[in-house]
Amino acid sequence: MHRLFVALRPPPEIRDRLTDLMDGVEGARWQDDDQLHITLRFIGAVDRRTAEDAATALSAIRADLPPLRLDGCGTFETKGRPNALWAGVTPREPLATLHKKIDRAMIRIGLEAEHRAYIPHITLARLAGSAGPVDSFLARHAGLTSPDFAVTHMTLYESRLGHHGASYEPIERYALTGP
């Protein structure tokens, strides 16, 4: 089985900016540079044939993405407890439109529709139940922003889970058209 997702990779200067923020929450499992991305669609565990179908379907997607920028920080929660810290990305609407195109393409090859609300973000840390409070981190970085940055392609990744967390291997890159 192949555990797949589609994402955008921010340029090195944006990843450096994010890496510089990663401190101040005890017990947080901070992402490393190789893990920093903007997820467009989680595909999940699929067999080889479905992985090939997904790769083919993605090659037909066209999108014009304007320059992006970082925009604040937030958390995802489970049962009222934060389980991830993230940096927001704007403008949201073009990213949501691209997410919908990818979702429709995955539905056409027989995968289930994405049911979660799409929130463009870059995960900064995973938080276990023993992780420290996040309020001061969120307050410190509420105004997070960045210069505009361009993303020229989306990537199909395979996620491999190991003893030290997930590693992501790029499988295929797909050019995006510019504004």
Side-chain angles (χ1 to χ4, degrees):
M1 296 297 271
H2 302 275
R3 191 170 184 262
L4 305 176
F5 67 94
V6 184
L8 303 171
R9 183 97 159 113
E13 60 273 11
I14 298 301
R15 298 192 318 266
D16 289 345
R17 183 183 210 103
L18 294 173
T19 301
D20 289 345
L21 303 178
M22 295 181 185
D23 191 25
V25 178
E26 189 174 329
R29 291 186 326 251
W30 299 103
Q31 302 290 87
D32 62 30
D33 181 77
D34 292 337
Q35 295 172 312
L36 297 175
H37 63 270
I38 304 162
T39 301
L40 293 169
R41 171 62 152 80
F42 182 72
I43 295 171
V46 296
D47 60 29
R48 183 179 188 86
R49 180 176 177 192
T50 304
E52 291 169 354
D53 290 347
T56 300
L58 290 169
S59 69
I61 293 175
R62 300 291 172 258
D64 286 325
L65 277 186
L68 305 175
R69 70 187 160 283
L70 299 176
D71 183 33
C73 287
T75 61
F76 289 124
E77 298 182 354
T78 301
K79 297 180 182 177
R81 177 133 179 88
N83 61 27
L85 283 172
W86 50 261
V89 180
T90 59
R92 289 174 178 85
E93 191 55 40
L95 292 166
T97 298
L98 180 54
H99 164 77
K100 287 176 192 169
K101 286 181 179 184
I102 295 167
D103 194 43
R104 285 192 301 265
M106 296 303 104
I107 292 166
R108 282 192 297 274
I109 66 164
L111 296 176
E112 206 173 304
E114 176 71 61
H115 296 291
R116 295 177 293 185
Y118 181 69
I119 300 170
H121 71 281
I122 301 169
T123 300
L124 302 175
R126 307 273 180 208
L127 306 170
S130 60
V134 298
D135 295 342
S136 63
F137 178 90
L138 294 173
R140 252 188 347 269
H141 302 297
L144 175 67
T145 190
S146 71
D148 288 354
F149 59 93
V151 179
T152 59
H153 63 276
M154 63 182 180
T155 303
L156 176 63
Y157 286 95
E158 182 166 1
S159 174
R160 295 196 173 127
L161 301 176
H163 296 300
H164 301 291
S167 63
Y168 307 138
E169 179 183 336
I171 302 300
E172 189 80 35
R173 289 172 51 153
Y174 307 90
L176 298 171
T177 55

